[in-house]
Amino acid sequence: MQDHDPAPAIPLSLFAFSLLYGGLVVLAGVLGTKIAALGHWPLVGDLAVESGIFAFLLLVVMASAVAELYGQDAANRLVRFGFVPLIASMLLLTFVINVVPPAPFWGDQDAYARLLGQGARMQFAGLISYGTSQTLNVYVFSRLAGGRGRLLILRAWIASLLSQMVDTLIFITISFAGVKDAAGVPLPIGEIMAGQIAAKLLLSTIMVPPLIWVFVKLGRWMDGQR
């Protein structure tokens, strides 16, 4: 009998974060079907944002946490592997909506398709914006202040702000440039971008600083580090 080399050990935190990351990549698109109101804010007025941002900011935090714990290359691999569940979910939703016939007694097909279905243009926009913004987040986080071990919360906050602005610019431009409303008027993508960026920057400021601290501490605890 030949001896087999044991499978390479994967740190517990990296394994757990990878599982959660893959699920949240899919969940972000589902949550995005609801537009959340963030209230009225001085200088910017009423803010609203698609609810997928809550899952997406967790993706940003986890990618940054993996970069802090295991380095930039590991975080970039996590981002790249995130394309697998993202593309698989897009294909499955397209198949279920457009190919699988609804049961005769089920009357919610139109609502299901309206909420969960995305055209090819928006799917392409989602893939490009995800890959670009997450890669940028990991790069900025890893390079600021000399990298790992320094100014954790500040690096995560700045990287998330930049990545969310880039994500919004790419997604809205690809999705809506040249699109007209029912009256034939081009959509005001500049106004849409401004509102979305303001809302995402606000949420990044509220969510990212405490969450990056929690995830890094949790990762070290799971791996038996202090």
Side-chain angles (χ1 to χ4, degrees):
M1 270 180 87
Q2 290 183 337
D3 292 333
H4 294 283
D5 293 333
I10 300 175
L12 179 59
S13 68
L14 182 58
F15 178 73
F17 289 172
S18 298
L19 290 177
L20 182 58
Y21 189 96
L24 287 173
V25 167
V26 176
L27 186 61
V30 177
L31 293 176
T33 60
K34 176 178 179 177
I35 305 301
L38 300 182
H40 185 86
W41 294 83
L43 303 179
V44 294
D46 295 326
L47 292 181
V49 68
E50 48 90 15
S51 298
I53 184 61
F54 297 106
F56 200 85
L57 284 177
L58 283 172
L59 295 177
V60 168
V61 168
M62 278 190 289
S64 296
V66 169
E68 181 70 13
L69 295 169
Y70 303 107
Q72 184 177 351
D73 290 342
N76 282 331
R77 286 195 296 272
L78 180 69
V79 171
R80 289 195 293 269
F81 280 122
F83 279 105
V84 177
L86 182 58
I87 293 174
S89 64
M90 288 178 175
L91 293 175
L92 282 172
L93 277 172
T94 300
F95 174 74
V96 168
I97 291 172
N98 298 301
V99 178
V100 178
F105 55 83
W106 190 66
D108 294 324
Q109 171 68 13
D110 291 341
Y112 183 86
R114 185 175 66 255
L115 288 174
L116 297 180
Q118 286 186 336
R121 182 171 174 175
M122 290 188 70
Q123 290 181 339
F124 177 73
L127 290 172
I128 298 300
S129 60
Y130 160 79
T132 304
S133 63
Q134 282 289 73
T135 301
L136 176 65
N137 172 74
V138 170
Y139 176 82
V140 173
F141 174 81
S142 300
R143 298 299 179 182
L144 281 176
R148 297 161 69 180
R150 294 184 174 183
L151 303 177
L152 171 68
I153 290 175
L154 180 62
R155 286 188 290 128
W157 176 61
I158 293 174
S160 69
L161 295 182
L162 293 175
S163 66
Q164 287 309 294
M165 286 191 289
V166 169
D167 177 80
T168 302
L169 290 171
I170 293 175
F171 183 80
I172 291 180
T173 299
I174 296 176
S175 296
F176 302 115
V179 176
K180 298 180 180 180
D181 61 18
V185 179
L187 293 178
I189 63 173
E191 295 179 14
I192 298 173
M193 283 183 185
Q196 288 289 295
I197 288 174
K200 290 180 178 181
L201 295 187
L202 172 65
L203 288 175
S204 291
T205 300
I206 294 173
M207 292 178 60
V208 170
L211 285 175
I212 187 62
W213 184 87
V214 168
F215 271 88
V216 170
K217 287 290 187 181
L218 178 62
R220 288 174 176 158
W221 175 79
M222 294 176 72
D223 295 340
Q225 304 176 23
R226 291 186 178 182

